[in-house]
Amino acid sequence: MAAKQPPPLMKKHSQTDLVSRLKTRKILGVGGEDDDGEVHRSKISQVLGNEIKFAVREPLGLRVWQLVSAIMFSGVAIMALAFPDQLYDAIFDEESVSSKTPIRLYGGALLSISLIMWNALYTAEKVIIRWSLLTEACYFAVQFLVTTASLVESSRIATGAVLLLVSRALFILISIYYYYQVGRRPKKV
């Protein structure tokens, strides 16, 4: 007895048939646009989400500003901890301070803020970047107010303190600018 030959394998035409492919994708729920106008390529991307949607649109110079801020906070903190007399003298043009403890506590607080700044430099999360910028702006605003009050009480104007006030006002503006720029919604293309 001769073995019967099996019929030749027929190729499915659904892979090449565009209408069949579109029907299959529609049944699976992929390929269509969602509410944000994004087209999902697979069911997995629908379930897991699209990471591009959560990426921060970084304004030009943001990372440079974060690096400068982290270095500045760390530098002033180390100076306040190690050389409190020199820091006080540089700002208020007075040679000695009655107690070094408040300046060293100030240095410890600045060191803590600098850790926040260093960690925010290495993150891509929008919320963390915005909170670090808001922390920075609040710190500069409080420092601006305290320095202004100190100058009014002493009724003499030190060159270092005036320079500090001008720089703090500029730093407040830069921090607030980046805070709002990071918080803006990206434009849909």
Side-chain angles (χ1 to χ4, degrees), residues 161-172:
V162 172
L163 185 61
L164 181 73
L165 287 176
V166 171
S167 67
R168 293 313 178 228
L170 179 66
F171 295 161
I172 290 168

Side-chain angles (χ1 to χ4, degrees), residues 67-97:
L67 178 65
V68 167
S69 295
I71 291 171
M72 185 173 47
F73 274 90
S74 299
V76 174
I78 290 169
M79 188 171 174
L81 289 170
F83 312 108
D85 288 330
Q86 288 81 0
L87 180 66
Y88 189 81
D89 181 43
I91 295 172
F92 293 107
D93 291 335
E94 293 181 17
E95 293 175 11
S96 67
V97 63

Side-chain angles (χ1 to χ4, degrees), residues 83-159:
F83 312 108
D85 288 330
Q86 288 81 0
L87 180 66
Y88 189 81
D89 181 43
I91 295 172
F92 293 107
D93 291 335
E94 293 181 17
E95 293 175 11
S96 67
V97 63
S98 58
S99 176
K100 296 178 183 179
T101 305
I103 296 175
R104 287 199 168 120
L105 288 172
Y106 168 72
L110 276 185
L111 194 60
S112 300
I113 294 174
S114 76
L115 292 174
I116 294 170
M117 297 303 155
W118 282 112
N119 285 323
L121 179 64
Y122 296 110
T123 188
E125 290 188 41
K126 183 178 183 178
V127 174
I128 294 174
I129 293 171
R130 289 193 81 207
W131 272 106
S132 68
L133 289 167
L134 186 63
T135 300
E136 189 175 349
C138 289
Y139 164 77
F140 289 137
V142 168
Q143 190 178 38
F144 182 86
L145 293 173
V146 168
T147 306
T148 303
S150 299
L151 289 175
V152 169
E153 283 177 359
S154 69
S155 59
R156 54 184 192 104
I157 308 233
T159 309

Side-chain angles (χ1 to χ4, degrees), residues 23-49:
K23 284 180 183 176
T24 304
R25 291 181 67 77
K26 189 162 186 105
I27 290 169
L28 290 175
V30 296
E33 289 187 11
D34 63 3
D35 295 336
D36 295 329
E38 303 216 7
V39 178
H40 295 281
R41 304 287 179 233
S42 68
K43 199 67 172 175
I44 292 173
S45 71
Q46 281 183 338
V47 172
L48 296 178

